[in-house]
Amino acid sequence: MAVGPRVLEAAGLREPGRRTRLREWWEQEHIFGYGLIVPAIVLLVTLVGFPFGMAIWFSLSDYWVGSPGGFVGLTNYRDILGNETFRQTVQNSFVFTGIALTLKIVLGVWLAMLLARNLSFKRVIRGIVLLPFVIPTALSTLAWLWMFDSLYSVVNWTAIRLHLISAPGPNWLGQSAYAMAAVITVNVWRGLPFFAIVVLAGLMTVPREYLEAAEVDGASSWGRFWHVTLPLIRPVLAVVILFSTIFTFADFNIVQVLTRGGPINTTHLFATLAYQVGLQGGNLGQGAAISLFIFPLLALVVFFQLRYVREE
Amino acid sequence: MKTTDRRVPTRRQFLATTAGATAGMASWLALGKAPAHAQKRELTFLSWNHFVPASDDELRKQAEAFGKANNCTVRVDTMAHLQMPSKIAAEAQSQSGHDMYRTASADPFLYENLLITMDDVVEKVGKQGGGWYSFAAESCQTKSGWKAIPWFWVSFPGTYNMAHFKKAGFEHPPKTWDELLKQGKVLKKQGNPVGIPISHCSDAHSTYWSVAWSQGAKVLEADGKTPGIVSDKTAQVIEWYKDLYTNAMEPEVLSWDDAGNNRFILSGKGSWIHNPISPYNAALANKQPIADDINHHNSPGGPAGIHSAPPNLSMGIWKFSKNQELAKEFIVYLFQKQNFDAWIVASNAFNHPPLKNLADHPIWARNPKFAMLPKEAEYAHPRGWPAKPSEAVQRIDDNYIMADMVAKAVNGMPTKRAMDWAQEQIALAVKGQLKVQ
C-alpha cells in the first residue's frame, strides 16, 4: 500500500523534502549500481574506446600526420599485406611471441613452484624476483643494450673468460638469429616475475590434502604436479597466458631500445613497425592498419580463453 | 600534556576553498589565458640533445639573454634525435606543443602545410650573412615558400686513427672509397678494421648517399617520383659494400646506433669511420690520449666526384604557435654574428653555419685537424639529390630503406634482389602525398 500525503498527514508526519526524495531515488539498487560504474565507463570510453575508434578510422583512411584524409576502405590493409617488410614483421611477431610465451610458461611455473616452497628469507626472495617487473622497461633494456653491445658486451666477456666461447663472441644485435634471441631473452627476463607471482597465487589455493593423498597413493613429484597441481591452477594459468599473449604481441620498448627493428627488419614487431611507418614516416593510416592487423586474432584468443576460464 | 594549536579547517571551510579554487581554474581555462599576474610570454623551442653538450648550454644561455632583453621566457627543450620525428609528428597531429622546433632533413616538406612561411626572416638574415649555401637553402624551400630557416649543418668527414694507418704503412688516409676498401683490408688484418654502419641509424644513410653519389648512383630520379635505385651503378655500390663488410669491417656494423662508430674509434680498435667530429671532441673533453691519434680528412670520392650528404638542421615555426613573431625575433637574435660565433666555439667546430659570411670563423683554421671541414660544403647536397628534397625522401630515410638494402645484400641476398626490394620500398615511400590545407 502506498504511503500518500493523506496518510502522512493523519500520522502527523511532514512530506519528505526534495533532498530526501533525491536520496531515495539515488539509493534504489539499479540506479545506485549503475551510478557507481559510470566513472569507470567514462574513463574507459575516453581513454580506451575513443583512441581505439580513432585508430580504426585512421586505418580506413589515407590520413597523414597533420593532413586529414578521406575514407579509402581496406586499401591500407591491402598495401601492407603486399609489403615484404610487413610480412617479415608478421613472422617475427609470431616467432617472438611463441618462443617468449613458451619460455615464460615453463620457467614461470617452475619459478612459482620454487617460490611456493618454505625457503628462508621467502619474502625477500619474492621481492627480488619481482624487480625486473618493477623497473621501467626502457631503463632496464638500456642496461641490456650495454650487455649486448658489440664492443663492450659483458655477456661475451664473461663467456670468453669462462672459456665457453672464443673471442670475439656472437654479435648479439647485428645478426638476425642472435638479435631475435636477445629481444626474446629480455622479454622473458621481464615477463617472468609476473607469470611466477600470479601462478604462485594459484598454487597457494591448492589444498595440501590433495597433494598428501596423492603422495600416499605413491604418486611421484612429477605425477603430483601433472595430475593434481596443474589441473587446479589451470584457470589461473589460462588468465595469465591470456594477458601475457597480449603483452608479448604488443611489446614495443624492448625492441625499440635494443634493435629498432633491425638488423634488416628481422626483429620488427607490429608496434615498432607501426611506430616507424605511422609516426616517424608520417603515414598514420598505414601505421594504424599495422597496429590493428593483429586485433581480430587477439580478440579471438581473448574470447576463447575467457570462455574456457568461465567453463572451468 | 601539551597540545599543539593546529588550525584544522572545518568541512565548510574546506568546501568553500576548493570550490573557489575550482571556479578560478575553470574561469582561467574558459578564458584561455592565465590571470594577469601569471602572464609572461613564453617561447618554447624543441631541439635535439646536441652531440657536443656545451653547444646546448650556449644555446640556453643565449635564450636566457634574449628573454631578459625582451621581457619573456625562452624555454629550450632537448631530446634524443632519433625520438624527434615521432615527437614532431605528435605535435603536428595534436596541433599543440612547442612554438618552434629544430627541423631535420625534409621536415619542411613533410609538414609544409603546418609550418609558417619564413621568407621575410630568411631574407633578412640571409642578406646580413652573405647568402645561403645552396644545399642548405634547398632543404627549406618548398613550393609554398621557405618553411624553415637553415640553422647549421654538420660536416661528415673521414675520421681516422693516424697511428693505425702509420703502422699499416699508409702515408695518407683514403681519397676514394675504393682506396678505403684497399686500405681497410690491410687494416683489418692488422686488427684495426674500418667501420660504416649498415643498420637502423641516420649515420648509415648519411654514408650511403655519399658513396652512391660518388659512384654515380641515384635513389630517385630528378622528378622526385620515379625510383632510380635499380641500376648498374647501385649494383657496384652494393658489391663495394659487400667487399668492405666481408674484408675490412666486423659484423658489429649491422647493430650500430649513431654512437656505435664513435665508440668504435674511441675504443682504439677502429681505424676509420665516416662521421662528424664528435668522437674527437669527446676525446678532447674527456682528456683521452687517443685524441692525439685521431684526425680528419675530406669525405672520400669516386668516379663521379666527391659528394656528401651532411645532416642539415633548420628551424621551423608551427602555424599553431601563438608566438610566431617572437620566434622570428629569437631566430634573428641567434644569427647575430657574436651569438653564432659563440655557438660555433661552444660546439668546438661541430656546428657549421649555412651562411657564407659566418663560415669564415678562425676556429677551423686554428686547429689543423679541422682545417678541411668547411670545404665539405662544396660537396654537399640535400638528401634525395638529383631530386629536390621532399617528404618522400624523408620517408626513405625514416624507414632505413638503403641501410636495409645493403644489409640484406651483405647477409647473402643477391644484389639484384636487394635492389628490387629497395625499389619496391621506395615506390611505397613516394606514394601518398600530403594534402596542403
Side-chain angles (χ1 to χ4, degrees), chain A residues 83 171 260 264-265 275 280, chain B residues 86 200 251 398 404 408 425:
Chain A
N83 187 342
N171 177 17
R260 296 168 306 286
I264 336 168
N265 301 316
Y275 173 81
Q280 292 188 308
Chain B
S86 48
H200 284 194
D398 286 341
D404 281 346
K408 281 173 185 285
Q425 296 296 312

Side-chain angles (χ1 to χ4, degrees), chain B residues 30-336:
Chain B
L31 291 169
K33 62 178 184 182
H37 63 81
Q39 277 185 45
K40 189 181 183 185
R41 286 187 306 172
E42 186 186 53
L43 178 68
T44 53
F45 178 27
L46 178 65
S47 188
W48 67 339
N49 289 333
H50 201 288
F51 284 91
V52 185
S55 178
D56 281 341
D57 297 340
E58 177 62 29
L59 176 64
R60 286 196 174 91
K61 202 170 114 189
Q62 291 182 20
E64 196 181 340
F66 175 83
K68 272 185 186 152
N70 292 275
N71 191 32
C72 66
T73 312
V74 182
R75 199 181 81 222
V76 178
D77 296 328
T78 56
M79 66 190 302
H81 70 292
L82 286 181
Q83 288 168 17
M84 278 197 76
S86 48
K87 170 68 178 158
I88 299 311
E91 293 199 1
Q93 186 55 32
S94 63
Q95 298 278 293
S96 65
H98 294 77
D99 294 301
M100 56 187 284
Y101 79 97
R102 185 229 67 178
T103 67
S105 210
D107 271 6
F109 299 82
L110 199 59
Y111 300 118
E112 187 176 350
N113 55 328
L114 297 171
L115 294 166
I116 68 164
T117 306
M118 297 177 70
D119 295 25
D120 51 350
V121 71
V122 167
E123 194 180 349
K124 185 179 176 182
V125 171
K127 258 185 194 161
Q128 288 168 359
W132 305 96
Y133 284 122
S134 60
F135 71 91
E138 280 173 35
S139 67
C140 297
Q141 281 175 296
T142 69
K143 288 190 200 81
S144 49
W146 291 76
K147 289 293 176 172
I149 182 166
W151 187 18
F152 67 106
W153 60 278
V154 183
S155 55
F156 224 83
T159 299
Y160 70 110
N161 184 313
M162 293 186 291
H164 294 336
F165 270 68
K166 197 173 170 186
K167 189 178 165 190
F170 298 123
E171 296 293 314
H172 59 81
K175 287 192 174 66
T176 64
W177 295 108
D178 279 333
E179 196 176 4
L180 172 71
L181 177 60
K182 286 190 192 103
Q183 292 179 340
K185 287 175 178 176
V186 177
L187 286 158
K188 186 180 177 179
K189 281 186 185 139
Q190 183 184 283
N192 304 114
V194 303
I196 291 172
I198 308 176
S199 56
H200 284 194
C201 71
S202 73
D203 284 359
H205 272 187
S206 297
T207 301
Y208 179 85
W209 287 107
S210 194
V211 175
W213 287 333
S214 302
Q215 196 63 38
K218 288 178 286 193
V219 173
L220 282 167
E221 297 297 344
D223 64 6
K225 294 191 174 97
T226 314
I229 204 151
V230 176
S231 70
D232 291 346
K233 303 283 186 199
T234 305
Q236 285 163 11
V237 170
I238 292 174
E239 290 304 325
W240 176 87
Y241 261 107
K242 279 156 90 170
D243 202 354
L244 189 83
Y245 173 79
T246 309
N247 301 308
M249 301 205 290
E250 296 279 3
E252 67 185 81
V253 298
L254 296 171
S255 65
W256 278 353
D257 55 14
D258 282 319
N261 50 7
N262 296 38
R263 289 196 295 269
F264 177 68
I265 198 97
L266 289 174
S267 69
K269 178 186 170 186
S271 58
W272 187 95
I273 59 170
H274 195 225
N275 199 64
I277 58 172
S278 41
Y280 174 71
N281 276 344
L284 281 180
N286 300 324
K287 297 185 173 61
Q288 289 172 269
I290 200 163
D292 296 335
D293 292 330
I294 293 176
N295 202 349
H296 310 103
H297 65 93
N298 279 126
S299 194
I306 303 175
H307 299 274
S308 111
N312 192 23
L313 297 315
S314 316
M315 286 181 281
I317 302 168
W318 291 118
K319 274 183 181 170
F320 59 72
S321 163
K322 303 268 191 298
N323 296 304
Q324 292 174 12
E325 288 311 309
L326 187 65
K328 286 180 182 178
E329 287 169 35
F330 178 56
I331 287 168
V332 172
Y333 177 82
L334 290 179
F335 272 101
Q336 285 176 7

Side-chain angles (χ1 to χ4, degrees), chain B residues 338-413:
Chain B
Q338 72 274 18
N339 290 334
F340 211 100
D341 281 358
W343 193 56
I344 292 170
V345 171
S347 75
N348 199 22
F350 186 95
N351 304 335
H352 287 267
L355 288 158
K356 289 163 187 169
N357 287 357
L358 291 174
D360 186 25
H361 191 284
I363 195 164
W364 287 289
R366 263 203 304 261
N367 186 336
K369 290 182 178 181
F370 295 157
M372 87 302 302
L373 295 178
K375 200 173 167 60
E376 289 283 303
E378 293 173 26
Y379 316 129
H381 309 286
R383 283 146 202 246
W385 183 80
K388 289 270 183 230
S390 66
E391 74 272 17
V393 173
Q394 181 69 56
R395 284 198 292 275
I396 288 167
D397 263 10
D398 286 341
N399 289 313
Y400 306 109
I401 293 168
M402 284 94 76
D404 281 346
M405 174 185 73
V406 174
K408 281 173 185 285
V410 302
N411 275 285
M413 186 183 272

Side-chain angles (χ1 to χ4, degrees), chain A residues 54 58 62-70 75 78-79 82-88 145-146 148-152 168 171-176 256-266 268 273 275-284 286, chain B residues 82-83 85-90 92-93 95 110-111 113-114 199-201 245 250-258 260 263-267 269 394-395 398-400 404-405 407-408 411 413 417 421 424-425 428-429 431-437:
Chain A
M54 285 296 287
F58 283 165
D62 61 343
Y63 207 119
W64 289 84
V65 168
S67 300
T75 305
R78 201 186 56 226
D79 284 354
N83 187 342
E84 197 184 313
T85 304
F86 177 74
R87 293 198 298 270
Q88 167 85 60
L145 181 66
W146 268 107
F148 289 131
D149 184 81
S150 54
L151 273 168
Y152 303 105
N171 177 17
W172 285 104
L173 304 176
Q175 285 163 302
S176 304
Q256 190 61 25
V257 173
L258 280 184
T259 62
R260 296 168 306 286
I264 336 168
N265 301 316
T266 49
H268 254 317
L273 186 67
Y275 173 81
Q276 186 178 292
V277 171
L279 278 175
Q280 292 188 308
N283 191 342
L284 279 179
Q286 233 175 63
Chain B
L82 286 181
Q83 288 168 17
S86 48
K87 170 68 178 158
I88 299 311
Q93 186 55 32
Q95 298 278 293
L110 199 59
Y111 300 118
N113 55 328
L114 297 171
S199 56
H200 284 194
C201 71
Y245 173 79
E250 296 279 3
E252 67 185 81
V253 298
L254 296 171
S255 65
W256 278 353
D257 55 14
D258 282 319
R263 289 196 295 269
F264 177 68
I265 198 97
L266 289 174
S267 69
K269 178 186 170 186
Q394 181 69 56
R395 284 198 292 275
D398 286 341
N399 289 313
Y400 306 109
D404 281 346
M405 174 185 73
K408 281 173 185 285
N411 275 285
M413 186 183 272
R417 233 179 87 201
W421 174 85
E424 176 203 279
Q425 296 296 312
L428 288 171
K431 246 176 89 173
Q433 298 297 308
L434 293 175
K435 291 163 286 299
V436 179
Q437 289 165 320

Side-chain angles (χ1 to χ4, degrees), chain A residues 149-164:
Chain A
D149 184 81
S150 54
L151 273 168
Y152 303 105
S153 169
V154 72
V155 175
N156 286 1
W157 186 88
T158 308
I160 292 163
R161 288 292 177 287
L162 294 172
H163 302 291
L164 298 173

Side-chain angles (χ1 to χ4, degrees), chain A residues 101 194-196 198-199 235-245 305:
Chain A
L101 203 58
F194 171 70
F195 240 96
V198 177
V199 173
V236 172
L237 212 51
V239 170
V240 77
I241 289 171
L242 168 68
F243 275 102
S244 193
T245 306
Q305 285 271 49

